[in-house]
Amino acid sequence: MEKWWKRAVVYQVYPRSFMDTDGDGIGDLNGITEKLDYIAELGADVIWLSPVYDSPNDDNGYDIRDYQSIMTEFGTMEDFDRLLAEAHARGLKLIMDLVINHTSDEHEWFRTKPEYYIWRDKPNNWQSFFSGTAWAYDEVQKGYYLHLFSKKQPDLNWENEEMREELYTMMRWWLDKGVDGFRMDVINMISKDPAFPEAKDGDGNPHFLNGPEIHRYLREMNDRVLSHYDIVTVGEMPGTSPEHARAYTREENKELNMIFTFEHMELDQTAREKWNLKKLDLRELKANMEKWQHALHEEGWNSLYWNNHDQPRIVSRFGNDGEYRVESAKMLGACLHFMQGTPYIYQGEELGMTNVKFDSIEEYEDIETRNMYSEKLAKGIPPEKIMPAIWAKGRDNARTPMQWSNEPNAGFTKGTPWLKVNPSYPKINAACRNEEGSIFSFYQSLIRLRKKLEVITNGTFTLLHREHPAIFAYERETKAEKITVCCNFSNQHQLIARPNGKLLLSNYKEVEEQPDLFLRPYETAVFYSG
Ligand code: ISL
């Protein structure tokens, strides 16, 4: 029987920025409950909640102090139970963000069970993802602990069996409550090379990405926990190839259902550093997506995404957030949603929300951004050379409050928002979602079509016009149906041969019946025969 999550569409909520109901400027669980009808109206089936657990918020909840209680700013466990019940009442599933590569240094284990963490007498040269060394000295233990992220996010020692058991028990507790699965944070980093060797250029990645015991741990977790529930699991996995992905997601391997790859998110940077900007070459994007579509067809499963809370807004990134914002937001949606895999929509994507450009670093909250800024400043790089990278790539681009209406603070809060609202809100907001030609209604159509046409879930994938620098076109096919998706990634007109079939979807009003297909700026045209 086909797995339900193969036809599902996931909507990601970043609770801190979604909806504030108590006026403290921080989103909360009751705010999400209040907006469930909105998510249902869009047509999504599953909500992925970024972390809502008790946390000192060094990294906005990705540093967990207590896995079994709710962050005070977000509400109470009763609020959570109500959110879950109300979601289920609307036929929506809810999955939790599970951060188990590390905890907060304020988790009680850090003091009561130091053996649950990774200690060395001397640090090696691995660098943290959030700048600087990945080791911090602890006065109590008189040793260095590993933190791949901030120093308030010590890495857990997965070699410790008792620690793993405690995590499994905690996971069962949430599943027994009725949550419908997990998105697992950097889950391919849990197994480190036990030798902790010095790394080339301080890049420890080869020594902890997809490490030696990773498959053993995931199979154990599957056997002990996941396989006992009808749930969905998605592993966030930087540095994974399609071959890795197959190993993680092939059904018979009994590990995870799907993973998030990062390859397509690294095409507009040079080398390892996301801050080194490079213009996207569309041919590279096409080749990459094609590779993943083929590699996981009938062997494993893809997740499809352009956005999340760590990535800049796609319309500003691969589209055009000026003159062609509406057209390009729809085109990007179509380009992704007709592929094989489970699509993820990040809050505000369905409105075509854009990046922000705050003048000063003081207006940014993200730890990754702030640390990078300080590090570069200390190296003598002037602010005007650093800010453009933050405008293009900073994580706060995704984290500005959800734009609900043209009321003050975009209707997100009656207080002062924890992060400034994007000044675009009078024009870009959810209150306009039912206006004719809205991006929201286009996303509704994308979701409706996925439910209706089997070819979107199961068809083969064939890339067309491979060498074309501005057109991304592909076919999906089963014995009974065929879809051809044509997307213009440029602000110029492009001419290609008209595919067979009748027009199924377009982001322009009038489409002419001509022998050739004349694609206008950022136009998408999707053809169907069946
Ligand atoms: O955001 C990144 C690149 O811009 C990554 O370095 C990111 O930190 C990495 O993809 C892991 O992300 C996840 O784990 C982090 C957390 O900060 C992110 O928000 C989360 O998605 C540590 O828990």
Side-chain angles (χ1 to χ4, degrees):
M1 215 189 64
E2 188 179 280
K3 298 279 196 258
W4 60 264
W5 41 262
K6 291 200 170 174
R7 217 170 273 231
V9 175
V10 183
Y11 187 84
Q12 183 191 353
V13 169
Y14 194 67
R16 206 174 182 76
S17 304
F18 197 58
M19 182 65 200
D20 175 27
T21 56
D22 61 6
D24 65 355
I26 297 173
D28 44 48
L29 295 179
N30 289 339
I32 305 170
T33 307
E34 196 175 281
K35 296 295 184 184
L36 285 173
D37 287 332
Y38 172 84
I39 300 171
E41 182 186 334
L42 179 63
D45 312 88
V46 182
I47 298 171
W48 149 26
L49 270 193
S50 275
V52 295
Y53 318 91
D54 174 41
S55 161
N57 281 306
D58 192 48
D59 186 19
N60 290 353
Y62 284 86
D63 47 323
I64 298 173
R65 184 161 48 200
D66 180 351
Y67 289 101
Q68 278 159 267
S69 63
I70 298 291
M71 192 189 299
T72 322
E73 295 95 313
F74 289 175
T76 62
M77 196 56 84
E78 288 68 48
D79 296 338
F80 179 85
D81 292 340
R82 198 163 63 89
L83 167 61
L84 184 62
E86 291 290 329
H88 285 166
R90 288 164 178 79
L92 291 165
K93 295 182 188 282
L94 191 143
I95 70 176
M96 303 291 281
D97 211 316
L98 190 67
V99 189
I100 50 178
N101 172 69
H102 45 267
T103 67
S104 163
D105 65 340
E106 295 182 31
H107 193 293
E108 64 172 8
W109 290 344
F110 196 61
R111 288 296 165 226
T112 59
K113 307 261 188 186
E115 67 277 17
Y116 284 9
Y117 298 86
I118 299 172
W119 299 91
R120 286 292 174 276
D121 293 334
K122 267 205 240 86
N124 66 14
N125 70 344
W126 297 3
Q127 295 297 296
S128 137
F129 286 104
F130 293 162
S131 305
T133 170
W135 299 88
Y137 187 73
D138 179 61
E139 287 294 346
V140 178
Q141 292 300 316
K142 306 266 182 267
Y144 292 86
Y145 62 88
L146 178 71
H147 61 89
L148 295 179
F149 294 90
S150 94
K151 63 173 184 297
K152 286 185 67 62
Q153 292 169 300
D155 281 57
L156 284 165
N157 174 17
W158 275 72
E159 286 179 9
N160 187 301
E161 202 179 324
E162 195 188 315
M163 190 286 293
R164 300 204 302 276
E165 285 302 334
E166 288 213 48
L167 290 179
Y168 300 155
T169 304
M170 174 275 290
M171 290 167 72
R172 278 188 224 106
W173 185 85
W174 281 104
L175 293 167
D176 291 339
K177 234 182 203 305
V179 308
D180 302 288
F182 296 114
R183 173 267 188 191
M184 300 185 191
D185 195 67
V186 292
I187 197 68
N188 65 327
M189 299 189 189
I190 57 178
S191 165
K192 280 85 175 168
D193 178 343
F196 291 90
E198 288 293 300
K200 194 169 163 278
D201 302 327
D203 176 9
N205 277 291
H207 309 294
F208 58 75
L209 292 181
N210 315 301
E213 302 296 333
I214 183 71
H215 294 291
R216 182 164 72 84
Y217 295 151
L218 289 177
R219 280 175 204 171
E220 179 185 83
M221 181 199 290
N222 187 295
D223 177 58
R224 309 294 304 276
V225 186
L226 309 175
S227 61
H228 303 276
Y229 302 85
D230 179 20
I231 54 172
V232 62
T233 55
V234 48
E236 188 213 21
M237 297 197 177
T240 30
S241 65
E243 290 66 39
H244 290 122
R246 270 212 295 256
Y248 288 121
T249 69
R250 222 188 247 133
E251 219 176 305
E252 57 275 26
N253 289 6
K254 297 196 165 53
E255 296 187 17
L256 300 175
N257 298 142
M258 59 188 125
I259 71 151
F260 291 129
T261 166
F262 281 67
E263 288 192 342
H264 66 307
M265 296 277 98
E266 289 165 358
L267 299 173
D268 56 354
Q269 70 190 45
T270 56
R272 197 161 64 90
E273 243 217 50
K274 77 172 201 179
W275 308 107
N276 291 340
L277 309 180
K278 177 186 143 190
K279 196 175 170 317
L280 175 75
D281 179 341
L282 184 69
R283 284 166 294 204
E284 287 183 6
L285 180 66
K286 291 193 281 188
N288 187 265
M289 301 294 250
E290 178 195 33
K291 183 174 80 172
W292 283 82
Q293 287 288 301
H294 286 170
L296 299 188
H297 183 66
E298 290 177 354
E299 262 200 273
W301 192 248
N302 269 298
S303 54
L304 308 170
Y305 77 93
W306 287 138
N307 284 285
N308 59 42
H309 64 293
D310 293 333
Q311 299 294 338
R313 294 282 179 181
I314 199 64
V315 67
S316 303
R317 188 179 191 177
F318 294 169
N320 175 309
D321 61 9
E323 189 181 355
Y324 297 110
R325 185 184 66 86
V326 174
E327 289 80 1
S328 66
K330 293 178 186 173
M331 181 280 287
L332 287 159
C335 184
L336 194 74
H337 279 245
F338 286 102
M339 290 189 202
Q340 185 173 39
T342 299
Y344 289 72
I345 300 170
Y346 177 70
Q347 65 184 46
E349 177 180 343
E350 73 284 8
L351 306 174
M353 276 177 64
T354 59
N355 282 353
V356 276
K357 210 169 171 179
F358 298 145
D359 295 330
S360 134
I361 187 66
E362 298 309 322
E363 291 163 296
Y364 287 88
E365 294 288 340
D366 172 33
I367 183 168
E368 182 193 45
T369 300
R370 295 181 76 117
N371 287 1
M372 177 280 284
Y373 183 90
S374 313
E375 190 179 57
K376 292 210 192 290
L377 206 62
K379 283 186 186 151
I381 304 173
E384 62 273 19
K385 287 259 164 63
I386 313 176
M387 294 310 288
I390 297 178
W391 296 331
K393 288 292 187 66
R395 305 198 296 184
D396 283 340
N397 281 310
R399 300 176 181 184
T400 60
M402 177 73 176
Q403 293 165 206
W404 292 108
S405 70
N406 63 7
E407 286 159 39
N409 296 319
F412 161 73
T413 180
K414 297 228 170 357
T416 309
W418 71 277
L419 178 67
K420 269 179 35 184
V421 172
N422 189 318
S424 68
Y425 74 89
K427 198 173 122 214
I428 305 173
N429 64 64
C432 311
R433 69 183 176 280
N434 293 321
E435 284 174 8
E436 208 198 323
S438 73
I439 300 169
F440 186 90
S441 63
F442 192 86
Y443 267 77
Q444 285 178 314
S445 308
L446 293 174
I447 298 174
R448 235 182 279 122
L449 286 167
R450 176 168 289 266
K451 306 287 165 202
K452 194 167 124 196
L453 304 175
E454 204 244 319
V455 61
I456 303 176
T457 305
N458 294 319
T460 56
F461 177 97
T462 310
L463 186 69
L464 307 171
H465 305 288
R466 177 181 305 279
E467 293 307 322
H468 200 299
I471 296 291
F472 193 155
Y474 59 87
E475 280 170 7
R476 302 289 316 282
E477 199 170 4
T478 59
K479 281 205 182 79
E481 296 177 302
K482 179 166 164 178
I483 283 185
T484 311
V485 182
C486 305
C487 298
N488 181 359
F489 271 69
S490 76
N491 58 5
Q492 312 285 311
H493 289 71
Q494 307 288 347
L495 194 67
I496 57 172
R498 187 185 189 84
N500 292 328
K502 63 174 201 298
L503 189 72
L504 181 70
L505 188 70
S506 157
N507 60 346
Y508 271 76
K509 252 200 201 135
E510 285 99 33
V511 181
E512 289 171 30
E513 289 293 329
Q514 302 269 346
D516 287 323
L517 184 62
F518 191 56
L519 289 167
R520 287 159 283 186
Y522 296 99
E523 182 163 0
T524 180
V526 182
F527 298 86
Y528 176 80
S529 47

